[in-house]
Amino acid sequence: MLNRFAIRIATVRALRGRTLVGQNVRDSEIGPIEDIAADAPTPIITVYTDDGLYRVQGRDLFTVGGDSRVETGWLSLVIEIALTQRMVIADDGTMDVVQPKTDAAMEANIDFIERQVLAALSDTRGTASWPEMWRRFATDVGDRQSERGTMSREGVRFAGRKVVLQVRVPKDPPPGEPIGRLWLDFLALCTSENDLAPLVPILTDLLEGAPLTDVERVRAAFNFSRNEATAMLLGEPDDTP
């Protein structure tokens, strides 16, 4: 679902440059976070979208929750923070840096970064376009879980934190429906990013789908069979049950 892609991208972009990890915020790295961090020179944040629950009504496969076809469903947004004693934290001038030379210093930096993550997603300054986009896709936030992780391997001490936010996301546009202001604004932001701009035509095609007549659009929105549509005076009779 494209709502997963959008909330993940908005999270990554909202966090870049707003914490002690700097630009080192990654989208969906494959593999354990301790393996990714082992040889990294600076702290890292990795963003994932985990399990989601979407309660389908009838055959409307784009419904994401509840009894209404315009309600939303929930998914787990995972933000993993990792650093080791070998890493160097660069001071961006906003705070005194505690280099992670000891266990206590590593733990302190993890606490600092977790706080910065939450502050970044709450950034309401005029230039904070990606945090604002994050809020538009995270229409509600439920539980926030914070899990601690540590490991020692080959003489390298690892400290990590997994922050899991239960977020409510909007329904993807059904086939043939207008893209809508939310997605148009998201595509415009993607166009402004060099690495995301090549994806915009693909996303646009996926969102728009094939051209549909008015009847086809209504049928697609609710996934009606032809006979069901005919019974509702939306189409011609069909022999297929």
Side-chain angles (χ1 to χ4, degrees), residues 163-194:
V163 180
V164 183
L165 300 176
Q166 299 301 322
V167 297
R168 210 174 185 187
V169 293
K171 173 181 178 176
D172 276 16
E177 290 291 326
I179 293 179
R181 176 51 54 189
L182 171 62
W183 285 98
L184 289 173
D185 290 346
F186 176 75
L187 293 173
L189 269 182
C190 289
T191 301
S192 69
E193 303 277 351
N194 290 337

Short mmCIF file of all heavy atoms in Angstrom, two decimals, residues 163-194:
data_model
loop_
_atom_site.label_atom_id
_atom_site.label_comp_id
_atom_site.label_asym_id
_atom_site.label_seq_id
_atom_site.Cartn_x
_atom_site.Cartn_y
_atom_site.Cartn_z
N VAL A 163 12.08 2.47 18.78
CA VAL A 163 10.87 3.21 19.08
C VAL A 163 9.79 2.77 18.11
O VAL A 163 9.98 2.84 16.89
CB VAL A 163 11.10 4.73 18.95
CG1 VAL A 163 9.82 5.50 19.27
CG2 VAL A 163 12.24 5.18 19.87
N VAL A 164 8.68 2.27 18.64
CA VAL A 164 7.58 1.79 17.81
C VAL A 164 6.36 2.67 18.06
O VAL A 164 5.85 2.74 19.18
CB VAL A 164 7.24 0.32 18.10
CG1 VAL A 164 6.13 -0.17 17.16
CG2 VAL A 164 8.48 -0.56 17.95
N LEU A 165 5.92 3.35 17.01
CA LEU A 165 4.72 4.19 17.09
C LEU A 165 3.58 3.50 16.35
O LEU A 165 3.75 3.08 15.20
CB LEU A 165 4.98 5.56 16.45
CG LEU A 165 6.09 6.42 17.02
CD1 LEU A 165 6.25 7.69 16.20
CD2 LEU A 165 5.81 6.77 18.48
N GLN A 166 2.46 3.36 17.01
CA GLN A 166 1.26 2.89 16.33
C GLN A 166 0.59 4.09 15.68
O GLN A 166 0.12 4.99 16.36
CB GLN A 166 0.31 2.20 17.31
CG GLN A 166 0.90 0.99 18.01
CD GLN A 166 1.33 -0.09 17.03
OE1 GLN A 166 0.65 -0.34 16.02
NE2 GLN A 166 2.44 -0.74 17.31
N VAL A 167 0.60 4.13 14.35
CA VAL A 167 0.08 5.30 13.65
C VAL A 167 -1.11 4.91 12.77
O VAL A 167 -1.16 3.81 12.21
CB VAL A 167 1.17 5.99 12.80
CG1 VAL A 167 2.28 6.52 13.67
CG2 VAL A 167 1.73 5.04 11.74
N ARG A 168 -2.02 5.83 12.68
CA ARG A 168 -3.20 5.66 11.83
C ARG A 168 -2.91 6.34 10.51
O ARG A 168 -2.46 7.48 10.49
CB ARG A 168 -4.40 6.29 12.51
CG ARG A 168 -5.73 5.66 12.19
CD ARG A 168 -6.81 6.30 13.03
NE ARG A 168 -8.09 5.64 12.85
CZ ARG A 168 -9.22 6.08 13.37
NH1 ARG A 168 -9.22 7.18 14.09
NH2 ARG A 168 -10.35 5.42 13.17
N VAL A 169 -3.16 5.67 9.42
CA VAL A 169 -2.80 6.19 8.10
C VAL A 169 -4.04 6.34 7.22
O VAL A 169 -5.03 5.63 7.40
CB VAL A 169 -1.76 5.29 7.39
CG1 VAL A 169 -0.44 5.33 8.12
CG2 VAL A 169 -2.27 3.86 7.27
N PRO A 170 -3.99 7.26 6.24
CA PRO A 170 -5.16 7.44 5.36
C PRO A 170 -5.31 6.27 4.40
O PRO A 170 -4.36 5.56 4.09
CB PRO A 170 -4.82 8.72 4.59
CG PRO A 170 -3.66 9.34 5.29
CD PRO A 170 -2.94 8.23 5.97
N LYS A 171 -6.51 6.14 3.91
CA LYS A 171 -6.82 5.16 2.87
C LYS A 171 -6.16 5.56 1.56
O LYS A 171 -6.13 6.73 1.18
CB LYS A 171 -8.34 5.10 2.71
CG LYS A 171 -8.87 4.26 1.57
CD LYS A 171 -10.39 4.35 1.56
CE LYS A 171 -10.99 3.57 0.40
NZ LYS A 171 -12.47 3.58 0.45
N ASP A 172 -5.59 4.58 0.85
CA ASP A 172 -5.11 4.84 -0.51
C ASP A 172 -6.29 5.20 -1.41
O ASP A 172 -7.39 4.66 -1.24
CB ASP A 172 -4.44 3.58 -1.09
CG ASP A 172 -2.99 3.44 -0.67
OD1 ASP A 172 -2.58 4.12 0.28
OD2 ASP A 172 -2.27 2.63 -1.30
N PRO A 173 -6.09 6.11 -2.39
CA PRO A 173 -7.18 6.40 -3.32
C PRO A 173 -7.58 5.14 -4.10
O PRO A 173 -6.71 4.44 -4.62
CB PRO A 173 -6.58 7.44 -4.26
CG PRO A 173 -5.42 8.02 -3.52
CD PRO A 173 -4.89 6.91 -2.66
N PRO A 174 -8.88 4.83 -4.19
CA PRO A 174 -9.30 3.69 -5.01
C PRO A 174 -8.99 3.93 -6.48
O PRO A 174 -8.78 5.08 -6.89
CB PRO A 174 -10.82 3.62 -4.77
CG PRO A 174 -11.06 4.43 -3.55
CD PRO A 174 -10.01 5.48 -3.52
N PRO A 175 -8.94 2.88 -7.29
CA PRO A 175 -8.65 3.04 -8.71
C PRO A 175 -9.62 4.00 -9.39
O PRO A 175 -10.83 3.92 -9.18
CB PRO A 175 -8.81 1.62 -9.27
CG PRO A 175 -8.57 0.72 -8.11
CD PRO A 175 -9.10 1.46 -6.92
N GLY A 176 -9.06 4.90 -10.19
CA GLY A 176 -9.90 5.82 -10.96
C GLY A 176 -10.32 7.07 -10.22
O GLY A 176 -10.88 7.99 -10.81
N GLU A 177 -10.09 7.13 -8.89
CA GLU A 177 -10.46 8.31 -8.12
C GLU A 177 -9.41 9.42 -8.32
O GLU A 177 -8.23 9.14 -8.57
CB GLU A 177 -10.55 7.98 -6.63
CG GLU A 177 -11.74 7.10 -6.27
CD GLU A 177 -13.05 7.84 -6.41
OE1 GLU A 177 -13.09 9.06 -6.16
OE2 GLU A 177 -14.05 7.19 -6.80
N PRO A 178 -9.80 10.67 -8.20
CA PRO A 178 -8.82 11.75 -8.25
C PRO A 178 -7.76 11.57 -7.15
O PRO A 178 -8.07 11.07 -6.07
CB PRO A 178 -9.67 13.01 -7.99
CG PRO A 178 -11.05 12.62 -8.39
CD PRO A 178 -11.18 11.16 -8.06
N ILE A 179 -6.55 11.97 -7.44
CA ILE A 179 -5.45 11.76 -6.49
C ILE A 179 -5.71 12.49 -5.18
O ILE A 179 -5.46 11.98 -4.10
CB ILE A 179 -4.11 12.19 -7.11
CG1 ILE A 179 -3.75 11.25 -8.27
CG2 ILE A 179 -3.00 12.18 -6.08
CD1 ILE A 179 -2.46 11.61 -8.97
N GLY A 180 -6.20 13.71 -5.23
CA GLY A 180 -6.50 14.45 -4.01
C GLY A 180 -5.32 15.30 -3.54
O GLY A 180 -4.17 15.06 -3.89
N ARG A 181 -5.63 16.30 -2.72
CA ARG A 181 -4.63 17.28 -2.29
C ARG A 181 -3.50 16.66 -1.48
O ARG A 181 -2.34 17.02 -1.65
CB ARG A 181 -5.33 18.37 -1.48
CG ARG A 181 -4.39 19.43 -0.89
CD ARG A 181 -3.45 20.02 -1.92
NE ARG A 181 -4.17 20.56 -3.08
CZ ARG A 181 -3.57 20.97 -4.19
NH1 ARG A 181 -2.25 20.84 -4.32
NH2 ARG A 181 -4.28 21.45 -5.18
N LEU A 182 -3.81 15.72 -0.60
CA LEU A 182 -2.76 15.10 0.22
C LEU A 182 -1.68 14.48 -0.64
O LEU A 182 -0.48 14.74 -0.47
CB LEU A 182 -3.37 14.04 1.13
CG LEU A 182 -2.37 13.15 1.91
CD1 LEU A 182 -1.52 13.99 2.85
CD2 LEU A 182 -3.11 12.06 2.67
N TRP A 183 -2.09 13.68 -1.63
CA TRP A 183 -1.12 12.98 -2.46
C TRP A 183 -0.44 13.92 -3.45
O TRP A 183 0.74 13.75 -3.77
CB TRP A 183 -1.79 11.82 -3.19
CG TRP A 183 -2.04 10.68 -2.26
CD1 TRP A 183 -3.20 10.37 -1.62
CD2 TRP A 183 -1.09 9.69 -1.82
NE1 TRP A 183 -3.04 9.27 -0.82
CE2 TRP A 183 -1.76 8.83 -0.92
CE3 TRP A 183 0.25 9.46 -2.10
CZ2 TRP A 183 -1.13 7.76 -0.32
CZ3 TRP A 183 0.88 8.39 -1.50
CH2 TRP A 183 0.20 7.55 -0.62
N LEU A 184 -1.16 14.92 -3.92
CA LEU A 184 -0.54 15.91 -4.80
C LEU A 184 0.58 16.65 -4.07
O LEU A 184 1.65 16.90 -4.63
CB LEU A 184 -1.59 16.89 -5.32
CG LEU A 184 -2.58 16.34 -6.35
CD1 LEU A 184 -3.66 17.38 -6.65
CD2 LEU A 184 -1.86 15.92 -7.64
N ASP A 185 0.33 17.01 -2.82
CA ASP A 185 1.36 17.70 -2.03
C ASP A 185 2.53 16.78 -1.74
O ASP A 185 3.70 17.22 -1.75
CB ASP A 185 0.76 18.22 -0.72
CG ASP A 185 -0.22 19.38 -0.94
OD1 ASP A 185 -0.23 19.94 -2.05
OD2 ASP A 185 -0.96 19.71 0.01
N PHE A 186 2.25 15.52 -1.49
CA PHE A 186 3.33 14.56 -1.26
C PHE A 186 4.19 14.40 -2.51
O PHE A 186 5.43 14.41 -2.44
CB PHE A 186 2.75 13.20 -0.84
CG PHE A 186 3.78 12.12 -0.66
CD1 PHE A 186 4.60 12.10 0.45
CD2 PHE A 186 3.93 11.12 -1.62
CE1 PHE A 186 5.56 11.10 0.61
CE2 PHE A 186 4.88 10.13 -1.47
CZ PHE A 186 5.69 10.12 -0.35
N LEU A 187 3.55 14.28 -3.66
CA LEU A 187 4.29 14.15 -4.92
C LEU A 187 5.12 15.40 -5.19
O LEU A 187 6.25 15.30 -5.70
CB LEU A 187 3.33 13.88 -6.07
CG LEU A 187 2.59 12.53 -6.06
CD1 LEU A 187 1.56 12.49 -7.17
CD2 LEU A 187 3.57 11.37 -6.17
N ALA A 188 4.59 16.57 -4.85
CA ALA A 188 5.35 17.81 -5.06
C ALA A 188 6.60 17.84 -4.19
O ALA A 188 7.68 18.26 -4.64
CB ALA A 188 4.45 19.01 -4.75
N LEU A 189 6.49 17.38 -2.94
CA LEU A 189 7.66 17.32 -2.07
C LEU A 189 8.68 16.31 -2.60
O LEU A 189 9.89 16.56 -2.57
CB LEU A 189 7.25 16.93 -0.65
CG LEU A 189 6.94 18.06 0.32
CD1 LEU A 189 6.60 17.50 1.70
CD2 LEU A 189 8.08 19.04 0.43
N CYS A 190 8.20 15.18 -3.09
CA CYS A 190 9.11 14.18 -3.66
C CYS A 190 9.83 14.74 -4.88
O CYS A 190 11.02 14.47 -5.09
CB CYS A 190 8.34 12.92 -4.05
SG CYS A 190 7.74 11.93 -2.65
N THR A 191 9.13 15.52 -5.67
CA THR A 191 9.74 16.11 -6.85
C THR A 191 10.91 17.02 -6.48
O THR A 191 11.88 17.14 -7.24
CB THR A 191 8.69 16.92 -7.65
OG1 THR A 191 7.62 16.03 -8.03
CG2 THR A 191 9.28 17.53 -8.91
N SER A 192 10.86 17.63 -5.30
CA SER A 192 11.92 18.53 -4.87
C SER A 192 13.16 17.81 -4.35
O SER A 192 14.17 18.45 -4.05
CB SER A 192 11.39 19.47 -3.77
OG SER A 192 11.13 18.75 -2.57
N GLU A 193 13.09 16.48 -4.22
CA GLU A 193 14.21 15.69 -3.73
C GLU A 193 14.82 14.90 -4.89
O GLU A 193 14.12 14.15 -5.56
CB GLU A 193 13.74 14.71 -2.65
CG GLU A 193 13.03 15.37 -1.47
CD GLU A 193 14.02 15.89 -0.43
OE1 GLU A 193 15.22 15.58 -0.55
OE2 GLU A 193 13.57 16.61 0.48
N ASN A 194 16.12 15.08 -5.10
CA ASN A 194 16.77 14.48 -6.28
C ASN A 194 16.59 12.97 -6.34
O ASN A 194 16.39 12.40 -7.42
CB ASN A 194 18.26 14.83 -6.30
CG ASN A 194 18.50 16.29 -6.60
OD1 ASN A 194 17.66 16.95 -7.19
ND2 ASN A 194 19.64 16.82 -6.16
#
